[in-house]
Amino acid sequence: MKVGIIGGGATGFFAAINIAERHPTWEVEILEKSNKVLSKVKVSGGGRCNVTNARSKPSELINFYPRGGKSLYQVFEQFTTSDMVNWLAQRGVPTHQEEDLRMFPTTNDSQTIIDCFLNTARKLRVKITKNCGVAKIIQEQEGWSLATSQGNQTFDKLVVASGGSPAVWRMLENIGLNIVPPVPSLFTFNIKDPRIEGLMGISFSDVKIKIIGTKLYEAGPLLITHWGLSGPAVLKLSAWGARELAAKDYKFNITVNYLGEVNSDQARTEIIQLKTNHPKRKVLNYPLFGLPKRFWEQLCTYCDINDEVIFGEFPKKQMNKLIEELTQGFYSVDGKSTFKEEFVTSGGIKLTEVNLSTFESKRFPNLYLAGEVIDIDALTGGFNFQACWSEAWMISQNI
């Protein structure tokens, strides 16, 4: 039996290794278009590889998948995050859990995961063919043929784990599979605004962001960047709103409450108390609510609050403006930027095309689909990888 795997990423390697372990007499070959394999593993988690998440209950996990979450419930029942941790431990790779429940190899080095996969694949005699682009996928009477840059190949069974590759999606569409048009997910918001200009690197522990004209809102940490706003709150919003924001061509308006749970009335009450208790304090020099000093000073300047304004003589107009900016600051988003190198897409092969008990195509026997090539995507935190591991495991057990 000969198995071909298109894609030398996380899903492809995990499928190849587990297929080869389960069927040691089979020929398993990974075909990778570039001269590098496991490149997303390399950059994940800032080079530390956020390999999975400590949440292990399927009922908890599915809440982190904007597309495909409910469909993954039965998949996570078969292979969950704790199974992945055990899988790595059995191959000499211990992991550790961080406060936010993300999990990393104890070395904090993604190369540890890459070496584990490469060494295990070699031991199992998995063939890895680099610089092998696939130009055409052809269904044969029994099995599949591939026209590649290194010649034609035929496989009894084919696993497509090519990630978000437009070229592969077109080939799959050409054989008759239905595809949800892919759009970016997990991106940052491009904003040019004097209130945040020059403040890159400043972060907030808990804000609330709402996209005006939609039901989309999110809470969590926020980061000011060179190009606008990022951080978990923004990335979650971009994931849940991936298709809606694409339809808007990434031009939309947001409101930001930098105070999180504190509303405008509560903010006003605190400022009025300061007027009474510390009337001589200069507003510009006294950041409230634990806000970063540079941000506070820049926002005060934007609200026409100069170095002479004290809390005891805080003009009502400037106070109202400051409270509005703190609790419902209005910003215009004009475009998006990729989150680091961890590009994720929403879209791909429709889940109705796939038997989610085996990840085999319902209409095309011996064709298996997993990873980002299908319409499943997740928030950051190790969830995209876990979907890859679980789907690849299901393929290896059922192929």
Side-chain angles (χ1 to χ4, degrees), residues 224-347:
I224 298 176
T225 68
H226 289 276
W227 52 86
L229 296 178
S230 184
V234 168
L235 295 173
K236 288 178 185 178
L237 261 183
S238 76
W240 289 109
R243 308 206 73 79
E244 196 167 347
L245 299 182
K248 294 177 179 291
D249 195 27
Y250 306 105
K251 299 182 191 304
F252 52 93
N253 299 315
I254 63 172
T255 57
V256 180
N257 183 343
Y258 290 100
L259 309 184
E261 295 297 326
V262 177
N263 61 34
S264 59
D265 290 339
Q266 292 167 325
R268 187 180 305 278
T269 298
E270 182 150 341
I271 290 175
I272 290 173
Q273 286 178 345
L274 278 166
K275 290 185 71 169
T276 303
N277 299 333
H278 302 284
K280 298 295 185 182
R281 279 183 176 166
K282 292 183 177 181
V283 176
L284 195 65
N285 296 340
Y286 195 73
L288 300 180
F289 311 104
L291 291 171
K293 189 172 189 297
R294 286 175 56 214
F295 171 77
W296 175 264
E297 291 172 347
Q298 193 149 307
L299 199 61
C300 284
T301 301
Y302 180 81
C303 296
D304 296 322
I305 300 167
N306 60 36
D307 189 46
E308 301 302 318
V309 178
I310 59 177
F311 280 104
E313 300 173 1
F314 203 161
K316 187 175 181 180
K317 182 179 178 181
Q318 279 91 329
M319 183 196 299
N320 290 341
K321 179 65 174 173
L322 180 62
I323 291 170
E324 180 183 24
E325 290 297 336
L326 289 172
T327 60
Q328 47 186 338
F330 179 94
Y331 296 84
S332 293
V333 177
D334 185 13
K336 58 174 177 55
S337 295
T338 303
F339 174 57
K340 297 182 180 178
E341 297 175 79
E342 301 174 46
F343 187 70
V344 173
T345 53
S346 160

Side-chain angles (χ1 to χ4, degrees), residues 158-274:
L158 182 65
V159 179
V160 181
S162 50
S165 167
V168 174
W169 275 321
R170 283 193 296 271
M171 285 184 270
L172 293 171
E173 200 167 27
N174 286 339
I175 67 172
L177 286 169
N178 292 309
I179 294 179
V180 178
V183 297
S185 180
L186 293 183
F187 51 83
T188 60
F189 296 169
N190 290 356
I191 299 173
K192 288 186 177 180
D193 193 284
R195 289 166 289 181
I196 59 174
E197 186 177 358
L199 298 181
M200 59 286 296
I202 286 179
S203 61
F204 306 83
S205 60
D206 187 28
V207 307
K208 284 188 174 180
I209 305 178
K210 177 174 173 54
I211 297 177
I212 296 173
T214 75
K215 295 180 179 180
L216 297 166
Y217 68 92
E218 194 57 69
L222 179 74
L223 174 68
I224 298 176
T225 68
H226 289 276
W227 52 86
L229 296 178
S230 184
V234 168
L235 295 173
K236 288 178 185 178
L237 261 183
S238 76
W240 289 109
R243 308 206 73 79
E244 196 167 347
L245 299 182
K248 294 177 179 291
D249 195 27
Y250 306 105
K251 299 182 191 304
F252 52 93
N253 299 315
I254 63 172
T255 57
V256 180
N257 183 343
Y258 290 100
L259 309 184
E261 295 297 326
V262 177
N263 61 34
S264 59
D265 290 339
Q266 292 167 325
R268 187 180 305 278
T269 298
E270 182 150 341
I271 290 175
I272 290 173
Q273 286 178 345
L274 278 166

Side-chain angles (χ1 to χ4, degrees), residues 85-102:
V85 169
N86 292 334
W87 190 95
L88 289 168
Q90 290 166 8
R91 289 156 183 82
V93 180
T95 53
H96 72 273
Q97 172 186 329
E98 300 198 341
E99 284 187 15
D100 59 5
L101 302 184
R102 292 183 301 162

Side-chain angles (χ1 to χ4, degrees), residues 45 88 135 364-365 385 392:
L88 289 168
F364 299 93
F385 272 152

